[in-house]
Amino acid sequence: MDRCPLCGSKDNMWLVADINRGYFRCLHCALIYADPTTHLSSSQEKSVYDQHRNNPDDDGYRQFLGRLATPLVTRLPSPPLCGLDFGSGPGPTLSVMLAEMGYTMTIYDPYFAEQSAVLEGQYDFVTCTEAIEHFYQPAKEWGLLLRLVKPGGWLGIMTKLVTDTDAFGHWYYKNDPTHVSFFCHDTFCFLAQRDGLEVEFVGNDVILLRKPQ
């Protein structure tokens, strides 16, 4: 792999392989990424997502998403505010939870809510839960996320962070064939410094970033 798909650096290395694919690690931004030649096709990827059974009536799923929703809303001004849930999936739930709190919510998903007009606006906050690890072109998609956030607004991300590079080869999270981009604490710190963002880490899998005014 010539260049990191997130920062574009050529300073990367082969990390490990399993029975399905190999993985590279960028030595500049610390992103770990699957060999692009092993990416699923769009139809294969959607067939995996079609198996998801998440929905707003699932209390356990609501509690899971609350790990992002609760710290995010404590940092937001009071409603009315407009938010976008990016990568909302086949059973949008976080948007429902935030709407119940008084926020005006819009959703976008490339497979289940593909409304390009939604991507022309800007929002007081954008959420992206368990989606960034699916990004085939993280540089492009990261740039889009930042553009969607108004100056002074918030970007809330939920994804499992790589905590031990040496143990990556045995990490269950990489075994999902739709997971291709793996971020760590240093990756988000790199992005925050490069793009002038404030960054906070909440627990093991929630990252809150604020765009400058």
Side-chain angles (χ1 to χ4, degrees):
M1 181 64 184
D2 290 336
R3 292 186 179 273
C4 169
L6 178 62
C7 73
S9 173
K10 288 187 175 182
D11 192 12
N12 50 63
M13 59 175 283
W14 174 262
L15 181 63
V16 70
D18 57 26
I19 61 172
N20 296 312
R21 56 190 180 175
Y23 303 86
F24 298 86
R25 180 173 183 265
C26 178
L27 301 178
H28 188 57
C29 72
L31 182 79
I32 295 175
Y33 50 99
D35 182 347
T37 65
T38 63
H39 288 176
L40 301 183
S41 67
S42 294
S43 59
Q44 290 171 325
E45 190 178 24
K46 185 176 183 299
S47 70
V48 175
Y49 299 151
D50 283 337
Q51 298 172 31
H52 293 181
R53 293 293 179 264
N54 300 324
N55 68 78
D57 297 325
D58 184 335
D59 289 338
Y61 189 46
R62 279 176 171 257
Q63 291 177 13
F64 172 73
L65 295 175
R67 300 216 302 263
L68 182 142
T70 299
L72 175 62
V73 298
T74 64
R75 290 158 176 79
L76 295 175
S78 300
L81 292 177
C82 294
L84 170 68
D85 187 25
F86 187 96
S88 52
T93 300
L94 181 58
S95 57
V96 174
M97 294 166 59
L98 291 166
E100 291 170 350
M101 299 178 195
Y103 300 100
T104 300
M105 294 301 299
T106 302
I107 63 173
Y108 177 81
D109 190 280
Y111 291 116
F112 302 102
E114 206 281 315
Q115 309 168 86
S116 57
V118 166
L119 304 181
E120 299 303 317
Q122 283 193 306
Y123 302 86
D124 297 300
F125 63 93
V126 174
T127 57
C128 184
T129 57
E130 292 292 314
I132 198 169
E133 64 274 8
H134 301 279
F135 288 176
Y136 283 5
Q137 299 175 288
K140 176 182 177 181
E141 291 149 334
W142 177 259
L144 173 59
L145 289 175
L146 291 188
R147 185 177 61 75
L148 290 167
V149 179
K150 291 179 180 179
W154 288 86
L155 172 61
I157 293 172
M158 178 184 283
T159 189
K160 292 287 187 296
L161 296 176
V162 177
T163 58
D164 186 343
T165 302
D166 292 336
F168 182 84
H170 304 288
W171 193 29
Y172 80 95
Y173 199 62
K174 71 167 180 56
N175 296 334
D176 184 325
T178 66
H179 290 182
V180 297
S181 295
F182 305 92
F183 295 70
C184 68
H185 181 280
D186 288 349
T187 311
F188 283 109
C189 288
F190 166 84
L191 291 169
Q193 182 177 29
R194 187 194 67 181
D195 298 331
L197 309 170
E198 298 175 19
V199 61
E200 298 180 53
F201 296 90
V202 182
N204 296 323
D205 59 358
V206 172
I207 306 94
L208 301 177
L209 302 111
R210 192 177 189 191
K211 195 173 179 179
Q213 291 280 0

